[in-house]
Amino acid sequence: MEHPDSPMPHAAQPSTAAAAHANTTNSPFPTAAAAVATPTISSLTPAQGSAEGGNTVTLTGTGFTSATSVRFGTTAAAFITVSDTQVTAIAPAAPAGPLSVTITTSGGTSAGITYTYVAAPVLGSVAPAQGPLPGQNTVALSGTGFTGTTSVHFGANAAIAFTLVSPTQLTAVVPTGGPGPVAVTVTTPGGTSTQAVSYYYLGAPVLNSIAPGSGQLSGNNSVTLIGANLLQATAVRFGPTSAAPSAILSATEIRATVPPGVSGTVPVSVTTPGGTSNTVTYLYLGVPVITGLVSDQGPSAGGDSVTVTGSGLTYATAVLFGSVPAGFTVVSDTQLTTTAPPGVLGAVTVRVVTPGGTSIGAAYTRVGPPAI
């Protein structure tokens, strides 16, 4: 039996945490969304490119997840969001010079970062514009927009090396190539030059013969050289001495004036931008010397045999009695035999002629028949 004054039991009260949860879940107002940070761009790779656009640029930074646009200046670019910290974009075309690149997300638009548009290089000339098939020679390239050059090509082959001298000049080491012309191009972040500038690969010259093959020590006589690839000849070398070609007649024939030399043989070669030829032999000859005639007299009717002694007679081209040539046979460098031609009574000078010059004369006397 319950007592009327017995106290009534109290109902359980909710905990403070549970009350807070109940107040939150049962609130008739929506919870506020978390704020999205403004994106930031820390770098562009690359930070420059062709004014024609079309190259891929990687933007690195933060807050890229909800990107809605990437702009180069005021021009929107196609892009792909790779992650919250990376976006790749295709640079649109723009005039040469710097532009500010920005990215926009639901959090706003980033501060700009500079991207530089570069005009394509212009190649004006290559000097020298020709060289040997093996390459290895250095040429100078002139033009504009060479800053930042990444490659120089000779046809399909990259230069062995190149050096930026200034925005208007490069030097390059030519690679190996085949005979004939190739296009030379320069590539920079602004693109590749398109001008029709050619470099010619030349085959090395070849020598087959030289005529005449001998001459006087004083030189100054003309010789003809026969061979191949001689059209661009720049020098003809006689032993250690170089001479300029006096006439380039064709790709197979040139002429040169022989420089002075010393007695004996020397190698002769021709140099062109394609290289240096094989050698042929040229003989420098001293003036012949006559030391005696046996006999030194004979009938005015001629016909008698005369032995000429001396030195330098091997290359005799003529024996003269006065101004009259006579038949002869070379026996050795110190002796030849000749047949005296007819002539008037009295003394006549005998001389020997070689490519080395004409000897000092020796006297031969024509005599009449004995008196009866």
mmCIF file of all heavy atoms in Angstrom, residues 4 8 14 35 47 54-55 85 98 132 134 146 158 179 183 214 230 241 245 256 262-263 266 300 316 321 326:
data_model
loop_
_atom_site.group_PDB
_atom_site.id
_atom_site.type_symbol
_atom_site.label_atom_id
_atom_site.label_comp_id
_atom_site.label_asym_id
_atom_site.label_seq_id
_atom_site.Cartn_x
_atom_site.Cartn_y
_atom_site.Cartn_z
ATOM 1 N N PRO A 4 0.629 8.029 0.975
ATOM 2 C CA PRO A 4 0.352 9.249 0.194
ATOM 3 C C PRO A 4 1.456 10.254 0.257
ATOM 4 O O PRO A 4 1.622 11.068 -0.634
ATOM 5 C CB PRO A 4 -0.959 9.777 0.824
ATOM 6 C CG PRO A 4 -1.065 9.134 2.168
ATOM 7 C CD PRO A 4 -0.375 7.820 2.101
ATOM 8 N N MET A 8 7.369 10.730 -5.161
ATOM 9 C CA MET A 8 7.255 10.123 -6.502
ATOM 10 C C MET A 8 8.649 9.977 -7.131
ATOM 11 O O MET A 8 9.493 10.858 -6.980
ATOM 12 C CB MET A 8 6.379 11.015 -7.383
ATOM 13 C CG MET A 8 4.924 11.101 -6.919
ATOM 14 S SD MET A 8 4.055 9.550 -7.207
ATOM 15 C CE MET A 8 4.046 9.551 -8.976
ATOM 16 N N PRO A 14 18.367 13.912 -19.753
ATOM 17 C CA PRO A 14 19.424 13.648 -20.771
ATOM 18 C C PRO A 14 20.726 14.293 -20.362
ATOM 19 O O PRO A 14 20.731 15.339 -19.702
ATOM 20 C CB PRO A 14 18.845 14.292 -22.041
ATOM 21 C CG PRO A 14 17.899 15.332 -21.578
ATOM 22 C CD PRO A 14 17.312 14.793 -20.288
ATOM 23 N N ALA A 35 34.467 27.102 -46.075
ATOM 24 C CA ALA A 35 35.007 28.036 -47.074
ATOM 25 C C ALA A 35 36.060 27.346 -47.923
ATOM 26 O O ALA A 35 36.857 26.547 -47.427
ATOM 27 C CB ALA A 35 35.601 29.251 -46.379
ATOM 28 N N ALA A 47 58.180 27.972 -68.591
ATOM 29 C CA ALA A 47 57.669 29.314 -68.327
ATOM 30 C C ALA A 47 57.699 30.184 -69.571
ATOM 31 O O ALA A 47 57.457 31.386 -69.501
ATOM 32 C CB ALA A 47 58.484 29.970 -67.217
ATOM 33 N N GLY A 54 50.109 26.121 -78.523
ATOM 34 C CA GLY A 54 49.976 24.691 -78.804
ATOM 35 C C GLY A 54 50.817 23.798 -77.930
ATOM 36 O O GLY A 54 50.663 22.570 -77.968
ATOM 37 N N ASN A 55 51.710 24.365 -77.134
ATOM 38 C CA ASN A 55 52.548 23.546 -76.262
ATOM 39 C C ASN A 55 51.887 23.346 -74.899
ATOM 40 O O ASN A 55 51.041 24.132 -74.474
ATOM 41 C CB ASN A 55 53.931 24.185 -76.082
ATOM 42 C CG ASN A 55 53.855 25.626 -75.639
ATOM 43 O OD1 ASN A 55 53.255 26.445 -76.328
ATOM 44 N ND2 ASN A 55 54.458 25.950 -74.499
ATOM 45 N N THR A 85 47.129 19.878 -56.741
ATOM 46 C CA THR A 85 48.347 20.695 -56.827
ATOM 47 C C THR A 85 48.902 20.803 -58.239
ATOM 48 O O THR A 85 49.940 21.418 -58.447
ATOM 49 C CB THR A 85 49.448 20.114 -55.926
ATOM 50 O OG1 THR A 85 49.738 18.765 -56.358
ATOM 51 C CG2 THR A 85 49.026 20.109 -54.470
ATOM 52 N N PRO A 98 55.524 38.886 -72.419
ATOM 53 C CA PRO A 98 55.019 38.234 -71.208
ATOM 54 C C PRO A 98 53.509 38.399 -71.046
ATOM 55 O O PRO A 98 52.936 39.420 -71.430
ATOM 56 C CB PRO A 98 55.763 38.962 -70.085
ATOM 57 C CG PRO A 98 56.002 40.333 -70.648
ATOM 58 C CD PRO A 98 56.211 40.158 -72.125
ATOM 59 N N PRO A 132 83.478 19.788 -95.386
ATOM 60 C CA PRO A 132 83.749 18.390 -95.702
ATOM 61 C C PRO A 132 82.658 17.440 -95.208
ATOM 62 O O PRO A 132 81.918 17.753 -94.282
ATOM 63 C CB PRO A 132 85.072 18.125 -94.971
ATOM 64 C CG PRO A 132 85.047 19.087 -93.824
ATOM 65 C CD PRO A 132 84.371 20.319 -94.343
ATOM 66 N N PRO A 134 82.970 14.682 -93.440
ATOM 67 C CA PRO A 134 83.064 14.240 -92.043
ATOM 68 C C PRO A 134 82.625 15.302 -91.034
ATOM 69 O O PRO A 134 82.512 15.011 -89.844
ATOM 70 C CB PRO A 134 84.560 13.927 -91.865
ATOM 71 C CG PRO A 134 85.091 13.772 -93.240
ATOM 72 C CD PRO A 134 84.288 14.711 -94.089
ATOM 73 N N PHE A 146 67.820 34.149 -81.217
ATOM 74 C CA PHE A 146 68.552 32.931 -80.877
ATOM 75 C C PHE A 146 68.616 32.651 -79.370
ATOM 76 O O PHE A 146 69.073 31.584 -78.959
ATOM 77 C CB PHE A 146 69.983 32.995 -81.416
ATOM 78 C CG PHE A 146 70.084 32.938 -82.920
ATOM 79 C CD1 PHE A 146 71.266 33.285 -83.554
ATOM 80 C CD2 PHE A 146 69.015 32.533 -83.699
ATOM 81 C CE1 PHE A 146 71.386 33.231 -84.931
ATOM 82 C CE2 PHE A 146 69.117 32.476 -85.087
ATOM 83 C CZ PHE A 146 70.308 32.827 -85.699
ATOM 84 N N ALA A 158 71.661 16.623 -85.773
ATOM 85 C CA ALA A 158 71.928 17.690 -84.814
ATOM 86 C C ALA A 158 73.401 18.069 -84.847
ATOM 87 O O ALA A 158 74.276 17.212 -85.060
ATOM 88 C CB ALA A 158 71.542 17.250 -83.405
ATOM 89 N N PRO A 179 77.061 13.999 -99.472
ATOM 90 C CA PRO A 179 77.320 15.045 -100.459
ATOM 91 C C PRO A 179 76.037 15.799 -100.837
ATOM 92 O O PRO A 179 74.979 15.196 -100.993
ATOM 93 C CB PRO A 179 77.856 14.267 -101.663
ATOM 94 C CG PRO A 179 78.327 12.971 -101.108
ATOM 95 C CD PRO A 179 77.427 12.666 -99.957
ATOM 96 N N ALA A 183 69.264 21.653 -95.309
ATOM 97 C CA ALA A 183 68.698 22.838 -94.665
ATOM 98 C C ALA A 183 69.243 22.952 -93.249
ATOM 99 O O ALA A 183 69.323 21.963 -92.521
ATOM 100 C CB ALA A 183 67.184 22.753 -94.642
ATOM 101 N N SER A 214 107.454 19.102 -113.882
ATOM 102 C CA SER A 214 108.731 19.619 -113.384
ATOM 103 C C SER A 214 108.919 21.040 -113.867
ATOM 104 O O SER A 214 108.234 21.494 -114.801
ATOM 105 C CB SER A 214 109.895 18.733 -113.846
ATOM 106 O OG SER A 214 109.920 18.652 -115.272
ATOM 107 N N LEU A 230 87.278 19.658 -107.783
ATOM 108 C CA LEU A 230 88.231 20.767 -107.702
ATOM 109 C C LEU A 230 87.568 22.137 -107.812
ATOM 110 O O LEU A 230 88.248 23.165 -107.701
ATOM 111 C CB LEU A 230 89.281 20.637 -108.817
ATOM 112 C CG LEU A 230 90.044 19.308 -108.884
ATOM 113 C CD1 LEU A 230 91.029 19.329 -110.049
ATOM 114 C CD2 LEU A 230 90.759 19.028 -107.573
ATOM 115 N N THR A 241 104.858 24.926 -99.356
ATOM 116 C CA THR A 241 104.489 26.258 -99.839
ATOM 117 C C THR A 241 103.113 26.240 -100.492
ATOM 118 O O THR A 241 102.835 25.423 -101.371
ATOM 119 C CB THR A 241 105.523 26.772 -100.852
ATOM 120 O OG1 THR A 241 106.824 26.707 -100.263
ATOM 121 C CG2 THR A 241 105.226 28.206 -101.263
ATOM 122 N N PRO A 245 95.087 28.966 -106.562
ATOM 123 C CA PRO A 245 94.865 28.539 -107.950
ATOM 124 C C PRO A 245 94.740 29.755 -108.853
ATOM 125 O O PRO A 245 94.107 30.746 -108.489
ATOM 126 C CB PRO A 245 93.563 27.740 -107.878
ATOM 127 C CG PRO A 245 92.899 28.172 -106.617
ATOM 128 C CD PRO A 245 93.989 28.573 -105.679
ATOM 129 N N ALA A 256 97.568 26.412 -111.742
ATOM 130 C CA ALA A 256 98.236 27.112 -110.646
ATOM 131 C C ALA A 256 99.601 27.583 -111.112
ATOM 132 O O ALA A 256 100.193 27.003 -112.030
ATOM 133 C CB ALA A 256 98.383 26.196 -109.434
ATOM 134 N N VAL A 262 113.179 24.285 -103.876
ATOM 135 C CA VAL A 262 114.557 23.781 -103.894
ATOM 136 C C VAL A 262 114.593 22.518 -104.752
ATOM 137 O O VAL A 262 113.572 21.868 -104.977
ATOM 138 C CB VAL A 262 115.064 23.486 -102.476
ATOM 139 C CG1 VAL A 262 115.128 24.773 -101.658
ATOM 140 C CG2 VAL A 262 114.189 22.453 -101.777
ATOM 141 N N SER A 263 115.787 22.192 -105.212
ATOM 142 C CA SER A 263 115.944 21.065 -106.120
ATOM 143 C C SER A 263 115.421 19.774 -105.490
ATOM 144 O O SER A 263 115.687 19.473 -104.325
ATOM 145 C CB SER A 263 117.427 20.905 -106.473
ATOM 146 O OG SER A 263 117.596 19.853 -107.394
ATOM 147 N N VAL A 266 108.578 17.351 -104.715
ATOM 148 C CA VAL A 266 107.692 17.761 -103.617
ATOM 149 C C VAL A 266 106.300 17.207 -103.892
ATOM 150 O O VAL A 266 105.904 17.045 -105.055
ATOM 151 C CB VAL A 266 107.617 19.299 -103.464
ATOM 152 C CG1 VAL A 266 108.956 19.878 -103.059
ATOM 153 C CG2 VAL A 266 107.102 19.953 -104.735
ATOM 154 N N SER A 300 131.236 21.568 -141.479
ATOM 155 C CA SER A 300 130.086 22.460 -141.632
ATOM 156 C C SER A 300 128.868 21.709 -142.162
ATOM 157 O O SER A 300 127.734 22.153 -142.001
ATOM 158 C CB SER A 300 130.435 23.623 -142.551
ATOM 159 O OG SER A 300 130.810 23.136 -143.839
ATOM 160 N N ALA A 316 116.481 16.684 -120.199
ATOM 161 C CA ALA A 316 116.702 17.534 -121.370
ATOM 162 C C ALA A 316 115.512 17.463 -122.321
ATOM 163 O O ALA A 316 114.972 16.387 -122.608
ATOM 164 C CB ALA A 316 117.973 17.121 -122.089
ATOM 165 N N PHE A 321 122.219 24.090 -131.240
ATOM 166 C CA PHE A 321 123.463 24.591 -131.824
ATOM 167 C C PHE A 321 123.132 25.977 -132.352
ATOM 168 O O PHE A 321 122.485 26.101 -133.410
ATOM 169 C CB PHE A 321 123.946 23.674 -132.950
ATOM 170 C CG PHE A 321 124.591 22.406 -132.452
ATOM 171 C CD1 PHE A 321 123.845 21.410 -131.851
ATOM 172 C CD2 PHE A 321 125.972 22.206 -132.587
ATOM 173 C CE1 PHE A 321 124.432 20.236 -131.403
ATOM 174 C CE2 PHE A 321 126.563 21.029 -132.143
ATOM 175 C CZ PHE A 321 125.798 20.043 -131.536
ATOM 176 N N ALA A 326 118.893 20.134 -132.330
ATOM 177 C CA ALA A 326 119.541 18.924 -132.837
ATOM 178 C C ALA A 326 118.965 17.717 -132.128
ATOM 179 O O ALA A 326 118.540 17.793 -130.961
ATOM 180 C CB ALA A 326 121.048 19.013 -132.603
#
